[in-house]
């Protein structure tokens, strides 16, 4: 199995980043399915959806929603688009395994990680974070599209203390990463391309999640608000509640407005949420907004579409369109059946993703997937799945 190994590392701030070249050849690619249109390189055109289930990953045609292939893997994996229009990273016990959704094939290319965590795509970079070491691996996104025999070169930036974290690399090579250790997570740190510290903040207990908005304003969630890194400075935005946890950011890189999940009860059971947070990265404001009665969601159930709106699959089974400026629900459409929230976050429950203004929603209770037009609510296609879907990743 081809693996990217961390043979040489340099600590953040040392001013040097290790450049590594991946090893030997991978296994042969699968043949293009007869039903899939092929591009000049022989790989299929059009959107594709990777759907994780207990024991494997399904590859689904993004227009017809027909299953193209069924690839076995571990019982629980997570899916992240690589950003190159062809691949996704599958987080496994061995690390970040490259999934080719065009051929399709679960390749032998693996970036070793003892605890593969977040994958971030921004500014032409695809950034992988290993929770077990706090090391960050950075690929040029475009280079990932061509992995003929090996993974492309990658920069490996050594972390300081291991924790569940995330990193992002900005267009000027500014590196922004979370700070923490085995006892907890406290904030973020930004360094320039030479490794010199730009800014740091320890005012973000439980820091989790990341999103990059217009103008490369980077937002991180905290247990009591959010941090915004913008123009070399970090601003703390405080939740209106003593405990106001934010863990995920739903962003559009064309908008300064960020929609975030919000939890105000530390003793709450289950994972259904009824409030959202709205962050304006230009005005540096954070507002809590209660959703209308009967609408609840989980972290897997929110995304942004090309219009800039947020869309949310509620536990009522409806797709709700949300204005990111006010938090108002501007439209609601029938989508799937009503569902109950999971008792553990890993359990299958509806997931949502978008490509342009087309929204993909899975129905775990009925093992189906649908697509809707976010502007009209029209159901464009429905597909039956041979397994109970969990996470999804759309590649277009």
């Amino acid at each position: 199995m081809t693996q990217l190994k961390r043979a040489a590392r340099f600590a953040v701030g040392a001013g040097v980043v290790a450049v590594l070249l991946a090893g030997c050849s991978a296994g042969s690619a699968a043949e293009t399915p007869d039903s899939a249109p092929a591009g000049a390189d022989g790989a299929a055109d059009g959107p594709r959806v990777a759907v994780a289930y207990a024991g494997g990953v399904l590859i689904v045609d993004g227009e017809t929603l027909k299953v193209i292939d069924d690839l076995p893997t571990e019982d629980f994996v997570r899916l992240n688009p690589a950003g190159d229009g062809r691949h996704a990273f599958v987080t496994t016990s061995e690390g970040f395994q490259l999934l080719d959704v065009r051929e399709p094939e679960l390749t032998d290319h693996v970036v070793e990680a003892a605890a593969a965590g977040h994958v971030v795509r921004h500014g032409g970079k695809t950034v992988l974070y290993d929770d077990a070491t706090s090391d960050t691996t950075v690929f040029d996104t475009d280079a990932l599209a061509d992995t003929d025999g090996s993974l492309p070169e990658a920069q490996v930036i050594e972390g300081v203390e291991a924790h569940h974290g995330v990193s992002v690399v900005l267009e000027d090579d500014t590196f922004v990463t979370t700070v923490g250790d085995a006892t907890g997570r406290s904030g973020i740190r930004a360094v320039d391309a030479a490794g010199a510290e730009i800014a740091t903040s320890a005012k973000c207990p439980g820091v989790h999640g990341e999103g990059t908005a217009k103008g490369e304003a980077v937002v991180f969630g905290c247990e009591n608000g959010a941090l915004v890194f913008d123009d070399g400075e970090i601003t703390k935005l405080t939740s209106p509640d003593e405990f106001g946890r934010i863990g995920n950011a739903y962003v559009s890189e064309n908008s300064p407005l960020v929609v975030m999940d919000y939890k105000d009860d530390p003793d709450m059971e289950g994972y259904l949420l009824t409030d959202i947070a709205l962050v304006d990265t230009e005005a540096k404001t954070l507002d809590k907004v209660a959703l209308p009665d009967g609408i609840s969601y989980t972290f897997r159930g929110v995304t942004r579409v090309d219009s800039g709106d947020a869309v949310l699959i509620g536990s009522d089974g409806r797709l709700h369109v949300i204005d990111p400026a006010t938090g108002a629900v501007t439209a609601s459409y029938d989508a799937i059946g009503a569902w109950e929230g999971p008792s553990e976050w890993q359990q299958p429950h509806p997931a949502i993703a978008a490509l342009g203004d087309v929204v993909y929603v899975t129905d775990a209770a009925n093992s189906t997937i649908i697509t809707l037009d976010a502007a009209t609510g029209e159901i464009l296609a429905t597909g039956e799945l041979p397994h109970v879907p969990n996470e999804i990743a759309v590649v277009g």
Side-chain angles (χ1 to χ4, degrees):
M1 179 173 287
T2 300
Q3 298 178 328
L4 180 67
K5 299 187 178 182
R6 281 84 183 281
R9 301 177 179 138
F10 295 85
V12 175
V16 185
V17 179
V19 180
L20 302 180
L21 182 64
C24 305
S25 62
S28 60
E31 294 181 359
T32 302
D34 293 339
S35 60
D41 63 355
D45 292 327
R48 288 283 180 88
V49 189
V51 181
Y53 68 89
V57 177
L58 300 171
I59 305 299
V60 177
D61 185 283
E63 294 177 349
T64 67
L65 300 186
K66 292 182 178 179
V67 176
I68 296 169
D69 212 338
D70 187 344
L71 306 172
T73 183
E74 298 176 358
D75 282 347
F76 180 76
V77 297
R78 308 202 70 184
L79 299 174
N80 297 276
D84 63 349
R86 177 166 187 158
H87 296 99
F89 278 105
V90 181
T91 58
T92 73
S93 60
E94 294 186 357
F96 300 90
Q97 187 169 5
L98 196 65
L99 169 66
D100 188 338
V101 300
R102 298 290 178 198
E103 290 295 346
E105 178 193 21
L106 190 57
T107 74
D108 287 339
H109 299 311
V110 176
V111 179
E112 280 189 338
H118 284 281
V119 177
V120 172
R121 301 158 301 281
H122 172 73
K125 305 291 186 184
T126 301
V127 181
L128 317 179
Y129 190 94
D130 183 354
D131 290 345
T133 61
S134 75
D135 289 353
T136 300
T137 301
V138 184
F139 288 101
D140 286 333
T141 301
D142 288 345
L144 285 168
D146 183 11
T147 54
D148 184 16
S150 65
L151 285 164
E153 292 183 348
Q155 297 176 326
V156 177
I157 305 172
E158 187 180 61
V160 179
E161 293 188 81
H163 63 279
H164 177 55
V166 64
S167 300
V168 60
V169 178
L170 303 184
E171 291 182 1
D172 65 356
D173 290 329
T174 295
F175 176 70
V176 189
T177 190
T178 53
V179 175
D181 56 28
T183 64
R185 308 183 300 274
S186 59
I188 64 172
R189 182 175 185 237
V191 300
D192 64 18
E197 185 171 281
I198 300 171
T200 186
S201 172
K203 297 180 179 180
C204 192
V207 60
H208 185 274
E210 172 275 342
T212 304
K214 184 178 180 180
E216 294 200 302
V218 190
V219 181
F220 296 82
C222 317
E223 289 182 354
N224 58 2
L227 295 181
V228 179
F229 175 76
D230 186 25
D231 286 335
E233 297 183 352
I234 299 172
T235 303
K236 173 61 185 287
L237 306 179
T238 303
S239 296
D241 302 292
E242 183 177 354
F243 179 86
R245 182 185 184 276
I246 294 170
N248 297 276
Y250 310 101
V251 301
S252 166
E253 295 200 353
N254 297 317
S255 171
L257 306 176
V258 180
V259 177
M260 308 185 80
D261 59 9
Y262 191 92
K263 176 182 177 181
D264 61 7
D265 181 1
D267 300 319
M268 183 187 78
E269 296 182 0
Y271 289 86
L272 286 177
L273 303 172
T274 57
D275 299 311
I276 58 174
L278 305 179
V279 169
D280 186 328
T281 59
E282 290 181 346
K284 303 297 189 294
T285 59
L286 185 157
D287 294 303
K288 172 187 175 182
V289 177
L291 295 172
D293 289 345
I295 300 177
S296 56
Y297 70 99
T298 76
F299 70 98
R300 271 191 204 146
V302 189
T303 190
R304 300 287 286 272
V305 292
D306 266 5
S307 67
D309 287 335
V311 290
L312 176 153
I313 184 65
S315 60
D316 57 357
R318 308 194 80 199
L319 183 75
H320 302 282
V321 182
I322 298 174
D323 181 346
T326 65
V329 175
T330 59
S332 297
Y333 306 115
D334 291 337
I336 61 176
W339 51 279
E340 295 183 357
S343 57
E344 301 292 339
W345 68 265
Q346 298 94 335
Q347 293 174 337
H349 60 279
I352 191 172
L355 187 64
D357 284 322
V358 175
V359 180
Y360 295 79
V361 181
T362 61
D363 183 349
N366 296 294
S367 295
T368 58
I369 183 171
I370 67 171
T371 52
L372 302 93
D373 184 324
T376 66
E378 177 188 0
I379 294 180
L380 305 175
T382 301
E384 295 185 359
L385 303 173
H387 305 283
V388 177
N390 203 344
E391 292 200 351
I392 61 173
V394 179
V395 174

